[in-house]
mmCIF file with all atom_site columns, all heavy atoms in Angstrom:
data_model
loop_
_atom_site.group_PDB
_atom_site.id
_atom_site.type_symbol
_atom_site.label_atom_id
_atom_site.label_alt_id
_atom_site.label_comp_id
_atom_site.label_asym_id
_atom_site.label_entity_id
_atom_site.label_seq_id
_atom_site.pdbx_PDB_ins_code
_atom_site.Cartn_x
_atom_site.Cartn_y
_atom_site.Cartn_z
_atom_site.occupancy
_atom_site.B_iso_or_equiv
_atom_site.pdbx_formal_charge
_atom_site.auth_seq_id
_atom_site.auth_comp_id
_atom_site.auth_asym_id
_atom_site.auth_atom_id
_atom_site.pdbx_PDB_model_num
ATOM 1   N N   . ALA A 1 463 ? -4.593  -21.137 8.981   1.00 87.00 ? 463 ALA A N   1
ATOM 2   C CA  . ALA A 1 463 ? -5.281  -20.661 10.182  1.00 87.00 ? 463 ALA A CA  1
ATOM 3   C C   . ALA A 1 463 ? -6.796  -20.630 10.036  1.00 87.00 ? 463 ALA A C   1
ATOM 4   O O   . ALA A 1 463 ? -7.505  -20.333 10.994  1.00 87.00 ? 463 ALA A O   1
ATOM 5   C CB  . ALA A 1 463 ? -4.781  -19.269 10.557  1.00 87.00 ? 463 ALA A CB  1
ATOM 6   N N   . ALA A 1 464 ? -7.305  -20.909 8.839   1.00 81.00 ? 464 ALA A N   1
ATOM 7   C CA  . ALA A 1 464 ? -8.749  -20.967 8.591   1.00 81.00 ? 464 ALA A CA  1
ATOM 8   C C   . ALA A 1 464 ? -9.453  -19.679 9.005   1.00 81.00 ? 464 ALA A C   1
ATOM 9   O O   . ALA A 1 464 ? -10.490 -19.700 9.663   1.00 81.00 ? 464 ALA A O   1
ATOM 10  C CB  . ALA A 1 464 ? -9.365  -22.166 9.334   1.00 81.00 ? 464 ALA A CB  1
ATOM 11  N N   . ALA A 1 465 ? -8.884  -18.548 8.623   1.00 84.00 ? 465 ALA A N   1
ATOM 12  C CA  . ALA A 1 465 ? -9.484  -17.254 8.962   1.00 84.00 ? 465 ALA A CA  1
ATOM 13  C C   . ALA A 1 465 ? -10.688 -16.977 8.076   1.00 84.00 ? 465 ALA A C   1
ATOM 14  O O   . ALA A 1 465 ? -10.821 -17.526 6.974   1.00 84.00 ? 465 ALA A O   1
ATOM 15  C CB  . ALA A 1 465 ? -8.439  -16.142 8.790   1.00 84.00 ? 465 ALA A CB  1
ATOM 16  N N   . ALA A 1 466 ? -11.581 -16.103 8.552   1.00 87.00 ? 466 ALA A N   1
ATOM 17  C CA  . ALA A 1 466 ? -12.745 -15.714 7.767   1.00 87.00 ? 466 ALA A CA  1
ATOM 18  C C   . ALA A 1 466 ? -12.293 -15.010 6.495   1.00 87.00 ? 466 ALA A C   1
ATOM 19  O O   . ALA A 1 466 ? -11.331 -14.241 6.500   1.00 87.00 ? 466 ALA A O   1
ATOM 20  C CB  . ALA A 1 466 ? -13.637 -14.793 8.588   1.00 87.00 ? 466 ALA A CB  1
ATOM 21  N N   . ASP A 1 467 ? -13.002 -15.284 5.407   1.00 92.00 ? 467 ASP A N   1
ATOM 22  C CA  . ASP A 1 467 ? -12.662 -14.724 4.101   1.00 92.00 ? 467 ASP A CA  1
ATOM 23  C C   . ASP A 1 467 ? -13.827 -13.871 3.613   1.00 92.00 ? 467 ASP A C   1
ATOM 24  O O   . ASP A 1 467 ? -14.967 -14.353 3.541   1.00 92.00 ? 467 ASP A O   1
ATOM 25  C CB  . ASP A 1 467 ? -12.385 -15.865 3.114   1.00 92.00 ? 467 ASP A CB  1
ATOM 26  C CG  . ASP A 1 467 ? -11.875 -15.370 1.769   1.00 92.00 ? 467 ASP A CG  1
ATOM 27  O OD1 . ASP A 1 467 ? -12.090 -14.191 1.437   1.00 92.00 ? 467 ASP A OD1 1
ATOM 28  O OD2 . ASP A 1 467 ? -11.263 -16.169 1.044   1.00 92.00 ? 467 ASP A OD2 1
ATOM 29  N N   . GLY A 1 468 ? -13.538 -12.617 3.281   1.00 94.00 ? 468 GLY A N   1
ATOM 30  C CA  . GLY A 1 468 ? -14.580 -11.706 2.830   1.00 94.00 ? 468 GLY A CA  1
ATOM 31  C C   . GLY A 1 468 ? -15.253 -12.129 1.541   1.00 94.00 ? 468 GLY A C   1
ATOM 32  O O   . GLY A 1 468 ? -16.315 -11.596 1.187   1.00 94.00 ? 468 GLY A O   1
ATOM 33  N N   . ARG A 1 469 ? -14.684 -13.082 0.820   1.00 95.00 ? 469 ARG A N   1
ATOM 34  C CA  . ARG A 1 469 ? -15.308 -13.560 -0.407  1.00 95.00 ? 469 ARG A CA  1
ATOM 35  C C   . ARG A 1 469 ? -16.420 -14.569 -0.142  1.00 95.00 ? 469 ARG A C   1
ATOM 36  O O   . ARG A 1 469 ? -17.289 -14.787 -0.974  1.00 95.00 ? 469 ARG A O   1
ATOM 37  C CB  . ARG A 1 469 ? -14.258 -14.206 -1.324  1.00 95.00 ? 469 ARG A CB  1
ATOM 38  C CG  . ARG A 1 469 ? -13.237 -13.235 -1.868  1.00 95.00 ? 469 ARG A CG  1
ATOM 39  C CD  . ARG A 1 469 ? -12.086 -13.960 -2.544  1.00 95.00 ? 469 ARG A CD  1
ATOM 40  N NE  . ARG A 1 469 ? -11.086 -13.036 -3.054  1.00 95.00 ? 469 ARG A NE  1
ATOM 41  C CZ  . ARG A 1 469 ? -10.149 -12.449 -2.311  1.00 95.00 ? 469 ARG A CZ  1
ATOM 42  N NH1 . ARG A 1 469 ? -10.086 -12.724 -1.016  1.00 95.00 ? 469 ARG A NH1 1
ATOM 43  N NH2 . ARG A 1 469 ? -9.290  -11.614 -2.834  1.00 95.00 ? 469 ARG A NH2 1
ATOM 44  N N   . THR A 1 470 ? -16.352 -15.204 1.033   1.00 95.00 ? 470 THR A N   1
ATOM 45  C CA  . THR A 1 470 ? -17.319 -16.269 1.321   1.00 95.00 ? 470 THR A CA  1
ATOM 46  C C   . THR A 1 470 ? -18.044 -16.102 2.645   1.00 95.00 ? 470 THR A C   1
ATOM 47  O O   . THR A 1 470 ? -19.028 -16.789 2.903   1.00 95.00 ? 470 THR A O   1
ATOM 48  C CB  . THR A 1 470 ? -16.596 -17.639 1.328   1.00 95.00 ? 470 THR A CB  1
ATOM 49  O OG1 . THR A 1 470 ? -15.521 -17.594 2.273   1.00 95.00 ? 470 THR A OG1 1
ATOM 50  C CG2 . THR A 1 470 ? -16.039 -17.969 -0.048  1.00 95.00 ? 470 THR A CG2 1
ATOM 51  N N   . ALA A 1 471 ? -17.556 -15.202 3.494   1.00 95.00 ? 471 ALA A N   1
ATOM 52  C CA  . ALA A 1 471 ? -18.132 -15.055 4.839   1.00 95.00 ? 471 ALA A CA  1
ATOM 53  C C   . ALA A 1 471 ? -19.530 -14.466 4.778   1.00 95.00 ? 471 ALA A C   1
ATOM 54  O O   . ALA A 1 471 ? -19.988 -13.968 3.751   1.00 95.00 ? 471 ALA A O   1
ATOM 55  C CB  . ALA A 1 471 ? -17.227 -14.167 5.692   1.00 95.00 ? 471 ALA A CB  1
ATOM 56  N N   . GLY A 1 472 ? -20.221 -14.545 5.902   1.00 96.00 ? 472 GLY A N   1
ATOM 57  C CA  . GLY A 1 472 ? -21.549 -13.944 6.005   1.00 96.00 ? 472 GLY A CA  1
ATOM 58  C C   . GLY A 1 472 ? -22.614 -14.756 5.297   1.00 96.00 ? 472 GLY A C   1
ATOM 59  O O   . GLY A 1 472 ? -22.412 -15.913 4.931   1.00 96.00 ? 472 GLY A O   1
ATOM 60  N N   . THR A 1 473 ? -23.754 -14.132 5.096   1.00 97.00 ? 473 THR A N   1
ATOM 61  C CA  . THR A 1 473 ? -24.896 -14.783 4.447   1.00 97.00 ? 473 THR A CA  1
ATOM 62  C C   . THR A 1 473 ? -25.117 -14.167 3.070   1.00 97.00 ? 473 THR A C   1
ATOM 63  O O   . THR A 1 473 ? -25.307 -12.954 2.942   1.00 97.00 ? 473 THR A O   1
ATOM 64  C CB  . THR A 1 473 ? -26.170 -14.596 5.288   1.00 97.00 ? 473 THR A CB  1
ATOM 65  O OG1 . THR A 1 473 ? -25.948 -15.148 6.589   1.00 97.00 ? 473 THR A OG1 1
ATOM 66  C CG2 . THR A 1 473 ? -27.360 -15.269 4.637   1.00 97.00 ? 473 THR A CG2 1
ATOM 67  N N   . THR A 1 474 ? -25.069 -15.012 2.056   1.00 98.00 ? 474 THR A N   1
ATOM 68  C CA  . THR A 1 474 ? -25.235 -14.533 0.684   1.00 98.00 ? 474 THR A CA  1
ATOM 69  C C   . THR A 1 474 ? -26.711 -14.392 0.342   1.00 98.00 ? 474 THR A C   1
ATOM 70  O O   . THR A 1 474 ? -27.497 -15.330 0.520   1.00 98.00 ? 474 THR A O   1
ATOM 71  C CB  . THR A 1 474 ? -24.565 -15.494 -0.313  1.00 98.00 ? 474 THR A CB  1
ATOM 72  O OG1 . THR A 1 474 ? -23.164 -15.578 -0.005  1.00 98.00 ? 474 THR A OG1 1
ATOM 73  C CG2 . THR A 1 474 ? -24.741 -15.023 -1.740  1.00 98.00 ? 474 THR A CG2 1
ATOM 74  N N   . VAL A 1 475 ? -27.079 -13.221 -0.150  1.00 98.00 ? 475 VAL A N   1
ATOM 75  C CA  . VAL A 1 475 ? -28.455 -12.973 -0.620  1.00 98.00 ? 475 VAL A CA  1
ATOM 76  C C   . VAL A 1 475 ? -28.558 -13.300 -2.098  1.00 98.00 ? 475 VAL A C   1
ATOM 77  O O   . VAL A 1 475 ? -29.547 -13.881 -2.556  1.00 98.00 ? 475 VAL A O   1
ATOM 78  C CB  . VAL A 1 475 ? -28.840 -11.496 -0.368  1.00 98.00 ? 475 VAL A CB  1
ATOM 79  C CG1 . VAL A 1 475 ? -30.220 -11.189 -0.959  1.00 98.00 ? 475 VAL A CG1 1
ATOM 80  C CG2 . VAL A 1 475 ? -28.812 -11.181 1.119   1.00 98.00 ? 475 VAL A CG2 1
ATOM 81  N N   . PHE A 1 476 ? -27.523 -12.944 -2.848  1.00 98.00 ? 476 PHE A N   1
ATOM 82  C CA  . PHE A 1 476 ? -27.480 -13.224 -4.285  1.00 98.00 ? 476 PHE A CA  1
ATOM 83  C C   . PHE A 1 476 ? -26.030 -13.229 -4.731  1.00 98.00 ? 476 PHE A C   1
ATOM 84  O O   . PHE A 1 476 ? -25.219 -12.452 -4.246  1.00 98.00 ? 476 PHE A O   1
ATOM 85  C CB  . PHE A 1 476 ? -28.253 -12.160 -5.071  1.00 98.00 ? 476 PHE A CB  1
ATOM 86  C CG  . PHE A 1 476 ? -28.083 -12.275 -6.569  1.00 98.00 ? 476 PHE A CG  1
ATOM 87  C CD1 . PHE A 1 476 ? -28.842 -13.173 -7.299  1.00 98.00 ? 476 PHE A CD1 1
ATOM 88  C CD2 . PHE A 1 476 ? -27.134 -11.503 -7.243  1.00 98.00 ? 476 PHE A CD2 1
ATOM 89  C CE1 . PHE A 1 476 ? -28.670 -13.305 -8.675  1.00 98.00 ? 476 PHE A CE1 1
ATOM 90  C CE2 . PHE A 1 476 ? -26.951 -11.622 -8.616  1.00 98.00 ? 476 PHE A CE2 1
ATOM 91  C CZ  . PHE A 1 476 ? -27.725 -12.531 -9.332  1.00 98.00 ? 476 PHE A CZ  1
ATOM 92  N N   . GLU A 1 477 ? -25.709 -14.108 -5.692  1.00 98.00 ? 477 GLU A N   1
ATOM 93  C CA  . GLU A 1 477 ? -24.353 -14.148 -6.219  1.00 98.00 ? 477 GLU A CA  1
ATOM 94  C C   . GLU A 1 477 ? -24.358 -14.674 -7.642  1.00 98.00 ? 477 GLU A C   1
ATOM 95  O O   . GLU A 1 477 ? -25.074 -15.620 -7.979  1.00 98.00 ? 477 GLU A O   1
ATOM 96  C CB  . GLU A 1 477 ? -23.448 -15.017 -5.342  1.00 98.00 ? 477 GLU A CB  1
ATOM 97  C CG  . GLU A 1 477 ? -21.987 -14.990 -5.757  1.00 98.00 ? 477 GLU A CG  1
ATOM 98  C CD  . GLU A 1 477 ? -21.059 -15.652 -4.754  1.00 98.00 ? 477 GLU A CD  1
ATOM 99  O OE1 . GLU A 1 477 ? -21.559 -16.372 -3.866  1.00 98.00 ? 477 GLU A OE1 1
ATOM 100 O OE2 . GLU A 1 477 ? -19.826 -15.441 -4.848  1.00 98.00 ? 477 GLU A OE2 1
ATOM 101 N N   . ASP A 1 478 ? -23.564 -14.028 -8.501  1.00 97.00 ? 478 ASP A N   1
ATOM 102 C CA  . ASP A 1 478 ? -23.306 -14.545 -9.835  1.00 97.00 ? 478 ASP A CA  1
ATOM 103 C C   . ASP A 1 478 ? -21.858 -14.236 -10.179 1.00 97.00 ? 478 ASP A C   1
ATOM 104 O O   . ASP A 1 478 ? -21.053 -13.954 -9.284  1.00 97.00 ? 478 ASP A O   1
ATOM 105 C CB  . ASP A 1 478 ? -24.294 -13.974 -10.863 1.00 97.00 ? 478 ASP A CB  1
ATOM 106 C CG  . ASP A 1 478 ? -24.198 -12.455 -11.013 1.00 97.00 ? 478 ASP A CG  1
ATOM 107 O OD1 . ASP A 1 478 ? -23.232 -11.858 -10.482 1.00 97.00 ? 478 ASP A OD1 1
ATOM 108 O OD2 . ASP A 1 478 ? -25.085 -11.868 -11.657 1.00 97.00 ? 478 ASP A OD2 1
ATOM 109 N N   . ASP A 1 479 ? -21.496 -14.287 -11.446 1.00 97.00 ? 479 ASP A N   1
ATOM 110 C CA  . ASP A 1 479 ? -20.103 -14.063 -11.823 1.00 97.00 ? 479 ASP A CA  1
ATOM 111 C C   . ASP A 1 479 ? -19.660 -12.619 -11.637 1.00 97.00 ? 479 ASP A C   1
ATOM 112 O O   . ASP A 1 479 ? -18.456 -12.336 -11.596 1.00 97.00 ? 479 ASP A O   1
ATOM 113 C CB  . ASP A 1 479 ? -19.883 -14.466 -13.291 1.00 97.00 ? 479 ASP A CB  1
ATOM 114 C CG  . ASP A 1 479 ? -19.980 -15.960 -13.497 1.00 97.00 ? 479 ASP A CG  1
ATOM 115 O OD1 . ASP A 1 479 ? -19.833 -16.709 -12.508 1.00 97.00 ? 479 ASP A OD1 1
ATOM 116 O OD2 . ASP A 1 479 ? -20.209 -16.388 -14.651 1.00 97.00 ? 479 ASP A OD2 1
#
Side-chain angles (χ1 to χ4, degrees):
D467 186 339
R469 293 169 181 80
T470 56
T473 302
T474 300
V475 175
F476 172 82
E477 186 170 14
D478 62 11
D479 291 340

